[in-house]
Coordinates of all heavy atoms in Angstrom, one line a residue:
M1 N 5.7 -7.5 -3.1 CA 6.5 -6.3 -2.9 C 7.6 -6.6 -1.9 O 8.6 -5.9 -1.8 CB 5.7 -5.1 -2.4 CG 4.8 -4.6 -3.5 SD 4.2 -2.9 -3.1 CE 2.5 -3.3 -2.6
A2 N 7.5 -7.7 -1.2 CA 8.5 -8.0 -0.2 C 9.9 -8.2 -0.8 O 10.0 -8.7 -1.9 CB 8.1 -9.4 0.5
G3 N 10.9 -7.7 -0.1 CA 12.2 -7.8 -0.5 C 12.7 -6.9 -1.5 O 13.8 -7.0 -2.0
R4 N 11.9 -5.8 -1.8 CA 12.3 -4.8 -2.8 C 12.3 -3.5 -2.1 O 11.3 -3.1 -1.6 CB 11.4 -4.7 -4.0 CG 11.5 -6.0 -4.9 CD 10.7 -5.8 -6.2 NE 11.2 -4.6 -6.9 CZ 10.7 -4.2 -8.1 NH1 9.8 -4.9 -8.6 NH2 11.2 -3.1 -8.6
L5 N 13.4 -2.7 -2.3 CA 13.4 -1.3 -1.8 C 14.0 -0.4 -2.9 O 15.1 -0.7 -3.3 CB 14.3 -1.3 -0.6 CG 13.7 -1.9 0.7 CD1 14.7 -1.8 1.8 CD2 12.5 -1.2 1.0
P6 N 13.3 0.6 -3.3 CA 12.0 0.8 -3.0 C 11.0 -0.1 -3.6 O 11.5 -1.0 -4.4 CB 11.8 2.3 -3.6 CG 12.8 2.4 -4.8 CD 13.9 1.5 -4.2
G7 N 9.8 -0.1 -3.3 CA 8.8 -1.0 -3.9 C 8.7 -0.8 -5.4 O 9.2 0.3 -5.9
P8 N 8.0 -1.6 -6.1 CA 8.0 -1.4 -7.6 C 7.1 -0.2 -8.0 O 6.2 0.3 -7.2 CB 7.2 -2.8 -8.0 CG 6.5 -3.2 -6.8 CD 7.3 -2.7 -5.6
T9 N 7.4 0.4 -9.2 CA 6.6 1.3 -9.8 C 5.3 0.7 -10.4 O 5.5 -0.4 -11.0 CB 7.3 2.0 -11.0 OG1 8.5 2.6 -10.4 CG2 6.5 3.1 -11.6
I10 N 4.2 1.2 -10.1 CA 3.0 0.7 -10.6 C 2.5 1.6 -11.6 O 2.1 2.8 -11.3 CB 1.9 0.4 -9.4 CG1 2.6 -0.4 -8.3 CG2 0.6 -0.2 -9.9 CD1 1.8 -0.4 -7.1
R11 N 2.3 1.2 -12.9 CA 1.9 2.1 -13.9 C 0.5 1.7 -14.3 O 0.2 0.6 -14.7 CB 2.8 2.1 -15.1 CG 2.4 3.1 -16.2 CD 3.4 3.1 -17.3 NE 3.1 4.2 -18.3 CZ 2.4 4.0 -19.4 NH1 2.0 2.8 -19.6 NH2 2.2 5.0 -20.2
V12 N -0.4 2.7 -14.2 CA -1.8 2.5 -14.6 C -2.3 3.6 -15.5 O -1.6 4.6 -15.4 CB -2.7 2.3 -13.4 CG1 -2.3 1.1 -12.6 CG2 -2.9 3.5 -12.6
R13 N -3.4 3.5 -16.1 CA -4.0 4.6 -16.9 C -5.3 5.1 -16.2 O -5.9 4.3 -15.5 CB -4.2 4.1 -18.3 CG -3.0 3.8 -19.0 CD -3.3 3.3 -20.5 NE -2.1 2.9 -21.2 CZ -1.3 3.8 -21.9 NH1 -1.8 5.1 -22.0 NH2 -0.3 3.3 -22.6
V14 N -5.6 6.3 -16.5 CA -6.9 6.8 -16.0 C -8.0 5.9 -16.5 O -8.0 5.4 -17.6 CB -7.1 8.3 -16.5 CG1 -8.5 8.8 -16.2 CG2 -6.1 9.2 -15.9
D15 N -8.9 5.6 -15.5 CA -10.0 4.7 -15.6 C -9.7 3.3 -15.4 O -10.6 2.4 -15.4 CB -10.8 4.9 -17.0 CG -11.5 6.2 -17.1 OD1 -12.0 6.7 -16.1 OD2 -11.6 6.8 -18.2
D16 N -8.4 2.9 -15.2 CA -8.0 1.6 -14.8 C -8.5 1.3 -13.5 O -8.6 2.2 -12.6 CB -6.5 1.4 -14.9 CG -6.0 1.1 -16.3 OD1 -6.7 1.1 -17.3 OD2 -4.7 1.1 -16.4
T17 N -8.9 0.1 -13.2 CA -9.2 -0.3 -11.8 C -7.9 -1.0 -11.2 O -7.4 -1.9 -11.9 CB -10.3 -1.3 -11.8 OG1 -11.5 -0.7 -12.3 CG2 -10.6 -1.8 -10.3
V18 N -7.4 -0.5 -10.1 CA -6.2 -1.0 -9.5 C -6.7 -2.0 -8.4 O -7.5 -1.7 -7.6 CB -5.5 0.2 -8.9 CG1 -4.2 -0.4 -8.2 CG2 -5.1 1.2 -10.0
E19 N -6.1 -3.1 -8.4 CA -6.3 -4.1 -7.3 C -5.0 -4.4 -6.6 O -4.1 -4.8 -7.2 CB -6.9 -5.4 -7.8 CG -7.2 -6.4 -6.7 CD -7.9 -7.6 -7.3 OE1 -7.1 -8.5 -7.9 OE2 -9.1 -7.8 -7.1
A20 N -4.9 -4.1 -5.3 CA -3.7 -4.4 -4.5 C -4.1 -5.3 -3.4 O -5.1 -5.3 -2.8 CB -3.3 -3.1 -3.9
L21 N -3.1 -6.3 -3.3 CA -3.3 -7.3 -2.3 C -2.1 -7.3 -1.4 O -1.2 -8.2 -1.4 CB -3.5 -8.7 -2.9 CG -4.7 -9.0 -3.7 CD1 -4.6 -8.6 -5.1 CD2 -5.2 -10.3 -3.6
P22 N -2.0 -6.3 -0.5 CA -0.8 -6.2 0.4 C -0.9 -7.3 1.5 O -1.9 -7.6 2.0 CB -1.0 -4.9 1.2 CG -2.4 -4.5 1.0 CD -2.9 -5.2 -0.3
R23 N 0.3 -8.1 1.6 CA 0.3 -9.2 2.5 C 1.3 -8.9 3.6 O 2.4 -8.3 3.3 CB 0.8 -10.4 1.7 CG 1.0 -11.6 2.6 CD 1.4 -12.8 1.8 NE 2.7 -12.7 1.1 CZ 3.9 -13.1 1.7 NH1 3.9 -13.7 2.9 NH2 5.0 -13.0 1.1
N24 N 1.0 -9.1 4.8 CA 2.0 -8.9 5.9 C 2.5 -10.3 6.3 O 1.7 -11.1 6.7 CB 1.3 -8.2 7.1 CG 2.2 -7.7 8.1 OD1 3.4 -7.9 8.1 ND2 1.7 -7.0 9.1
R25 N 3.8 -10.5 6.3 CA 4.4 -11.7 6.6 C 4.0 -12.2 8.0 O 3.9 -11.4 8.9 CB 5.9 -11.7 6.4 CG 6.2 -11.4 5.0 CD 7.8 -11.4 4.7 NE 8.6 -11.4 5.9 CZ 9.9 -11.0 5.9 NH1 10.4 -10.7 4.8 NH2 10.6 -11.1 7.0
E26 N 4.0 -13.5 8.2 CA 3.6 -14.0 9.5 C 4.7 -13.7 10.5 O 4.4 -13.5 11.7 CB 3.5 -15.6 9.4 CG 2.2 -15.9 8.6 CD 1.8 -17.3 8.9 OE1 2.2 -17.9 9.9 OE2 1.0 -17.8 8.1
D27 N 6.0 -13.5 10.1 CA 7.0 -13.2 11.1 C 7.1 -11.7 11.4 O 8.0 -11.3 12.1 CB 8.4 -13.8 10.7 CG 8.9 -13.3 9.4 OD1 8.1 -12.6 8.7 OD2 10.0 -13.5 9.0
S28 N 6.2 -10.9 10.8 CA 6.2 -9.5 11.0 C 5.9 -9.2 12.5 O 5.2 -10.0 13.2 CB 5.2 -8.8 10.2 OG 5.2 -7.4 10.4
W29 N 6.4 -8.1 13.0 CA 6.2 -7.7 14.4 C 4.9 -6.8 14.6 O 4.5 -6.7 15.7 CB 7.3 -6.8 14.9 CG 8.6 -7.5 15.0 CD1 9.0 -8.7 14.5 CD2 9.8 -7.0 15.7 NE1 10.3 -9.0 14.8 CE2 10.9 -7.9 15.5 CE3 10.0 -5.8 16.4 CZ2 12.1 -7.7 16.1 CZ3 11.3 -5.6 16.9 CH2 12.3 -6.6 16.8
M30 N 4.5 -6.2 13.5 CA 3.4 -5.3 13.7 C 2.5 -5.2 12.4 O 2.9 -5.8 11.4 CB 3.9 -3.9 14.0 CG 4.8 -3.4 12.9 SD 5.6 -1.8 13.3 CE 6.6 -2.2 14.7
A31 N 1.4 -4.5 12.5 CA 0.6 -4.2 11.4 C 1.2 -3.3 10.4 O 2.1 -2.5 10.7 CB -0.7 -3.7 11.9
H32 N 0.9 -3.5 9.1 CA 1.4 -2.5 8.1 C 0.1 -2.3 7.1 O -0.8 -3.1 7.1 CB 2.5 -3.2 7.3 CG 3.8 -3.4 8.1 ND1 4.5 -2.4 8.6 CD2 4.2 -4.6 8.6 CE1 5.5 -3.0 9.4 NE2 5.3 -4.3 9.3
N33 N 0.2 -1.3 6.2 CA -0.8 -1.0 5.4 C -0.2 -0.2 4.1 O 1.0 0.0 4.1 CB -1.9 -0.3 6.0 CG -1.5 1.1 6.6 OD1 -0.5 1.7 6.1 ND2 -2.3 1.5 7.5
V34 N -1.0 0.2 3.2 CA -0.6 0.9 2.1 C -1.5 2.2 2.0 O -2.7 2.0 1.9 CB -0.6 0.2 0.9 CG1 0.0 1.0 -0.3 CG2 0.0 -1.2 1.0
D35 N -0.9 3.4 1.9 CA -1.6 4.6 1.7 C -1.2 5.0 0.2 O -0.1 5.4 0.0 CB -1.1 5.7 2.7 CG -1.8 7.1 2.4 OD1 -2.4 7.2 1.3 OD2 -1.6 7.9 3.3
F36 N -2.2 4.8 -0.7 CA -2.0 5.1 -2.1 C -2.5 6.6 -2.1 O -3.7 6.9 -2.2 CB -2.9 4.2 -3.0 CG -2.4 2.8 -3.1 CD1 -3.0 1.9 -2.4 CD2 -1.4 2.4 -3.9 CE1 -2.6 0.6 -2.4 CE2 -0.9 1.2 -4.1 CZ -1.5 0.2 -3.2
L37 N -1.5 7.5 -2.4 CA -1.8 8.9 -2.4 C -2.6 9.2 -3.8 O -3.3 10.2 -3.8 CB -0.6 9.7 -2.4 CG 0.2 9.5 -1.1 CD1 1.4 10.6 -1.0 CD2 -0.6 9.6 0.1
A38 N -2.7 8.3 -4.6 CA -3.5 8.4 -5.8 C -5.0 8.1 -5.6 O -5.9 8.3 -6.3 CB -3.0 7.5 -6.9
A39 N -5.3 7.4 -4.4 CA -6.6 7.0 -4.2 C -7.3 8.0 -3.3 O -6.9 8.4 -2.3 CB -6.6 5.6 -3.5
T40 N -8.6 8.4 -3.8 CA -9.4 9.3 -3.1 C -10.0 8.6 -2.0 O -10.6 7.6 -2.1 CB -10.4 9.9 -4.0 OG1 -9.7 10.5 -5.2 CG2 -11.3 11.0 -3.4
G41 N -10.0 9.3 -0.8 CA -10.7 8.7 0.4 C -9.7 8.7 1.5 O -8.6 9.0 1.4
T42 N -10.2 8.5 2.7 CA -9.5 8.6 3.9 C -8.3 7.6 3.9 O -8.3 6.5 3.6 CB -10.4 8.1 5.1 OG1 -11.6 8.8 5.1 CG2 -9.7 8.2 6.5
G43 N -7.1 8.3 4.1 CA -5.8 7.6 4.2 C -5.5 6.9 2.8 O -4.6 6.1 2.9
G44 N -6.1 7.1 1.8 CA -5.8 6.5 0.5 C -5.8 4.9 0.6 O -5.0 4.3 -0.1
G45 N -6.7 4.4 1.3 CA -6.9 3.0 1.6 C -6.1 2.4 2.7 O -6.1 1.2 2.9
A46 N -5.5 3.3 3.5 CA -4.6 2.8 4.6 C -5.5 2.0 5.6 O -5.0 0.8 6.0 CB -4.0 3.9 5.3
E47 N -6.6 2.5 6.0 CA -7.4 1.7 7.0 C -7.9 0.3 6.3 O -7.8 -0.6 7.0 CB -8.6 2.6 7.3 CG -9.4 1.9 8.5 CD -10.5 2.8 9.0 OE1 -10.3 4.0 9.1 OE2 -11.6 2.3 9.3
A48 N -8.3 0.4 5.1 CA -8.8 -0.9 4.4 C -7.7 -1.9 4.2 O -7.9 -3.1 4.1 CB -9.5 -0.5 3.1
T49 N -6.5 -1.4 4.1 CA -5.4 -2.4 3.9 C -4.6 -2.7 5.1 O -3.6 -3.4 5.0 CB -4.5 -1.8 2.8 OG1 -3.9 -0.6 3.2 CG2 -5.1 -1.6 1.5
T50 N -4.9 -2.2 6.2 CA -4.2 -2.6 7.4 C -4.2 -4.1 7.7 O -5.3 -4.7 7.9 CB -4.7 -1.9 8.7 OG1 -4.5 -0.5 8.5 CG2 -4.0 -2.2 10.0
A51 N -3.1 -4.7 7.6 CA -2.8 -6.1 7.7 C -2.0 -6.4 9.0 O -0.9 -6.0 9.1 CB -2.3 -6.7 6.4
Y52 N -2.5 -7.3 9.8 CA -1.7 -7.8 10.9 C -0.9 -9.0 10.4 O -1.1 -9.5 9.3 CB -2.7 -8.1 12.1 CG -3.3 -6.9 12.6 CD1 -4.5 -6.4 12.2 CD2 -2.6 -6.2 13.7 CE1 -5.0 -5.2 12.7 CE2 -3.1 -5.1 14.2 CZ -4.3 -4.5 13.7 OH -4.8 -3.3 14.2
P53 N 0.1 -9.3 11.2 CA 1.0 -10.4 10.8 C 0.2 -11.7 10.2 O -0.7 -12.1 11.0 CB 1.8 -10.8 12.0 CG 1.9 -9.4 12.8 CD 0.6 -8.8 12.5
G54 N 0.5 -12.1 9.1 CA -0.1 -13.2 8.5 C -1.4 -13.0 7.7 O -1.9 -13.8 7.1
E55 N -1.8 -11.7 7.7 CA -3.0 -11.3 6.9 C -2.7 -10.7 5.6 O -1.7 -10.2 5.3 CB -3.8 -10.2 7.7 CG -4.5 -10.6 8.9 CD -5.4 -9.6 9.5 OE1 -5.1 -8.4 9.4 OE2 -6.4 -9.9 10.1
T56 N -3.6 -10.9 4.6 CA -3.6 -10.3 3.4 C -4.9 -9.6 3.1 O -5.9 -10.1 3.6 CB -3.5 -11.4 2.2 OG1 -2.3 -12.1 2.3 CG2 -3.5 -10.7 0.9
K57 N -4.8 -8.3 2.7 CA -5.9 -7.5 2.5 C -6.1 -7.3 1.0 O -5.2 -7.4 0.2 CB -5.9 -6.2 3.2 CG -5.8 -6.3 4.7 CD -7.1 -6.9 5.2 CE -7.3 -7.2 6.7 NZ -7.9 -6.1 7.4
V58 N -7.3 -6.8 0.6 CA -7.6 -6.5 -0.8 C -8.2 -5.0 -0.9 O -9.0 -4.7 -0.1 CB -8.7 -7.5 -1.4 CG1 -8.9 -7.1 -2.9 CG2 -8.2 -8.9 -1.4
L59 N -7.6 -4.3 -1.9 CA -8.1 -2.9 -2.0 C -8.2 -2.7 -3.6 O -7.3 -3.0 -4.3 CB -7.2 -1.9 -1.5 CG -7.6 -0.4 -1.9 CD1 -8.8 -0.1 -1.1 CD2 -6.5 0.6 -1.5
R60 N -9.4 -2.3 -3.9 CA -9.6 -1.9 -5.4 C -10.1 -0.5 -5.5 O -10.9 -0.1 -4.7 CB -10.8 -2.8 -6.0 CG -10.3 -4.2 -6.2 CD -11.6 -5.0 -6.8 NE -11.3 -6.4 -6.6 CZ -11.6 -7.2 -5.6 NH1 -12.3 -6.5 -4.6 NH2 -11.3 -8.4 -5.5
F61 N -9.4 0.3 -6.4 CA -9.9 1.7 -6.6 C -9.7 1.9 -8.1 O -8.9 1.4 -8.8 CB -9.2 2.6 -5.7 CG -7.6 2.7 -6.0 CD1 -7.1 3.7 -6.9 CD2 -6.8 1.9 -5.3 CE1 -5.7 3.9 -7.0 CE2 -5.4 2.0 -5.5 CZ -4.9 3.0 -6.4
K62 N -10.5 2.9 -8.5 CA -10.4 3.3 -9.9 C -9.5 4.5 -10.1 O -9.6 5.5 -9.3 CB -11.8 3.7 -10.4 CG -11.9 3.8 -11.9 CD -13.3 3.8 -12.4 CE -13.4 3.9 -13.9 NZ -13.9 2.6 -14.4
A63 N -8.6 4.5 -11.0 CA -7.6 5.5 -11.2 C -8.4 6.7 -11.9 O -8.6 6.6 -13.0 CB -6.4 5.0 -12.0
L64 N -8.6 7.8 -11.2 CA -9.4 8.9 -11.7 C -8.5 10.1 -12.1 O -8.9 10.9 -13.1 CB -10.5 9.3 -10.8 CG -11.5 8.4 -10.3 CD1 -12.4 8.8 -9.2 CD2 -12.3 7.8 -11.5
N65 N -7.4 10.3 -11.5 CA -6.6 11.4 -11.8 C -5.2 11.1 -12.3 O -4.5 10.3 -11.8 CB -6.4 12.2 -10.4 CG -7.7 12.5 -9.8 OD1 -8.5 13.2 -10.3 ND2 -7.8 12.1 -8.5
P66 N -4.9 11.8 -13.5 CA -3.6 11.5 -14.0 C -2.5 12.2 -13.0 O -2.8 13.2 -12.4 CB -3.6 12.3 -15.3 CG -4.6 13.4 -15.2 CD -5.7 12.8 -14.2
G67 N -1.3 11.6 -13.1 CA -0.2 12.2 -12.3 C 0.7 11.2 -11.8 O 0.6 10.0 -12.2
L68 N 1.7 11.6 -11.0 CA 2.7 10.8 -10.4 C 2.4 10.7 -8.9 O 2.4 11.8 -8.3 CB 4.0 11.2 -10.8 CG 5.2 10.5 -10.2 CD1 5.3 9.0 -10.7 CD2 6.6 11.2 -10.4
F69 N 2.2 9.6 -8.3 CA 1.9 9.5 -6.9 C 2.7 8.6 -6.3 O 3.2 7.6 -6.9 CB 0.4 9.0 -6.7 CG -0.6 9.9 -7.5 CD1 -0.9 9.6 -8.8 CD2 -1.2 11.1 -6.8 CE1 -1.9 10.3 -9.5 CE2 -2.1 11.8 -7.5 CZ -2.4 11.5 -8.8
V70 N 3.0 8.8 -4.9 CA 3.7 7.8 -4.2 C 2.8 6.9 -3.4 O 1.6 7.3 -3.2 CB 4.7 8.4 -3.2 CG1 5.8 9.3 -4.1 CG2 4.1 9.3 -2.2
Y71 N 3.3 5.8 -2.9 CA 2.5 5.1 -1.9 C 3.5 4.7 -0.8 O 4.7 4.6 -0.9 CB 1.9 3.8 -2.5 CG 2.8 2.8 -3.1 CD1 3.3 1.8 -2.4 CD2 3.2 2.9 -4.5 CE1 4.1 0.8 -2.9 CE2 4.0 2.0 -5.0 CZ 4.5 0.9 -4.3 OH 5.4 0.1 -4.8
H72 N 2.9 4.5 0.4 CA 3.7 4.2 1.6 C 2.9 3.6 2.7 O 1.7 3.6 2.6 CB 4.4 5.5 2.1 CG 3.5 6.5 2.6 ND1 2.9 6.6 3.8 CD2 2.9 7.5 1.9 CE1 2.1 7.5 4.0 NE2 2.1 8.2 2.9
C73 N 3.6 3.0 3.6 CA 2.8 2.5 4.8 C 2.5 3.7 5.7 O 3.2 4.6 5.9 CB 3.8 1.5 5.6 SG 3.0 0.7 7.0
A74 N 1.3 3.6 6.3 CA 0.8 4.7 7.0 C 0.5 4.3 8.5 O -0.3 4.9 9.2 CB -0.5 5.3 6.4
V75 N 1.0 3.2 9.0 CA 0.9 2.8 10.4 C 1.7 3.7 11.2 O 2.8 4.0 10.8 CB 1.2 1.3 10.5 CG1 1.3 0.9 11.9 CG2 0.2 0.4 9.8
S76 N 1.1 4.1 12.3 CA 2.0 5.0 13.2 C 3.1 4.2 13.8 O 3.0 3.0 14.2 CB 1.1 5.5 14.3 OG 1.8 6.4 15.1
S77 N 4.2 4.8 13.9 CA 4.8 6.1 13.4 C 5.0 6.0 11.9 O 5.9 5.2 11.5 CB 5.9 6.4 14.2 OG 6.9 7.1 13.5
V78 N 4.4 6.8 11.1 CA 4.6 6.7 9.7 C 6.0 7.0 9.3 O 6.5 6.2 8.4 CB 3.7 7.8 9.0 CG1 3.8 7.8 7.5 CG2 2.2 7.5 9.4
A79 N 6.7 7.9 9.9 CA 8.0 8.1 9.5 C 8.9 6.9 9.7 O 9.9 6.7 9.0 CB 8.6 9.4 10.3
L80 N 8.7 6.2 10.8 CA 9.5 5.0 11.1 C 9.2 4.0 10.0 O 10.2 3.4 9.5 CB 9.1 4.4 12.5 CG 9.7 3.0 12.8 CD1 11.1 3.2 13.1 CD2 9.0 2.4 14.0
H81 N 8.0 3.8 9.6 CA 7.7 2.7 8.6 C 8.3 3.2 7.2 O 8.9 2.4 6.6 CB 6.2 2.6 8.4 CG 5.7 1.8 9.6 ND1 5.2 0.4 9.4 CD2 5.4 2.1 10.9 CE1 4.8 0.0 10.7 NE2 5.0 1.0 11.5
I82 N 8.2 4.5 6.8 CA 8.7 5.0 5.6 C 10.2 4.9 5.6 O 10.9 4.4 4.6 CB 8.3 6.4 5.3 CG1 6.7 6.4 5.0 CG2 9.1 7.0 4.1 CD1 6.1 7.8 4.8
S83 N 10.9 5.2 6.6 CA 12.4 5.2 6.7 C 12.9 3.8 6.7 O 14.0 3.6 6.5 CB 12.8 5.9 8.0 OG 12.5 5.2 9.2
N84 N 11.9 2.8 7.0 CA 12.4 1.4 6.9 C 11.9 0.8 5.6 O 11.9 -0.4 5.4 CB 11.9 0.6 8.1 CG 12.7 0.8 9.2 OD1 13.7 0.1 9.4 ND2 12.2 1.6 10.1
G85 N 11.7 1.6 4.6 CA 11.4 1.2 3.2 C 10.0 0.8 2.9 O 9.7 0.3 1.8
M86 N 9.1 1.1 3.8 CA 7.7 0.8 3.5 C 6.9 1.9 2.9 O 6.3 2.7 3.5 CB 7.1 0.3 4.8 CG 7.6 -1.1 5.3 SD 6.9 -1.5 6.9 CE 8.2 -1.1 7.9
Ligands
LIG101 CU1 4.7 -0.6 7.9

């Protein structure tokens, strides 16, 4: 996803298993993560995907609900991260 603003549209179908591998670049200044509003659970996977500079995390979830959902970085300050395209 690096280098794209906004990030790509991810199209899945109900009952698909989504696997995300967010990677935080080594030259990053801070941790980043992904809050998939489509994922049920605390923070939509934000805690599980919190990656410090140089780390890559893995999150798998099953798409249970039809709809249109956004995803964004949920590291504090969330507004700062979202306004910078995350
Ligand atoms: Cu971020």
Side-chain angles (χ1 to χ4, degrees):
M1 290 193 254
R4 288 189 58 175
L5 291 176
T9 299
I10 303 167
R11 184 174 185 266
V12 301
R13 295 180 181 271
V14 170
D15 291 330
D16 282 353
T17 298
V18 179
E19 182 178 76
L21 292 92
R23 179 178 63 93
N24 193 355
R25 295 183 349 198
E26 290 199 20
D27 62 347
S28 177
W29 294 12
M30 60 182 67
H32 299 288
N33 61 26
V34 187
D35 178 349
F36 290 98
L37 301 187
T40 302
T42 306
E47 187 174 323
T49 59
T50 298
Y52 289 89
E55 287 186 328
T56 298
K57 295 298 179 100
V58 178
L59 175 69
R60 290 180 196 86
F61 64 94
K62 192 166 187 112
L64 301 175
N65 302 306
L68 178 66
F69 304 92
V70 299
Y71 61 91
H72 61 85
C73 184
V75 169
S76 183
S77 149
V78 176
L80 174 71
H81 287 252
I82 291 174
S83 66
N84 279 281
M86 292 177 259

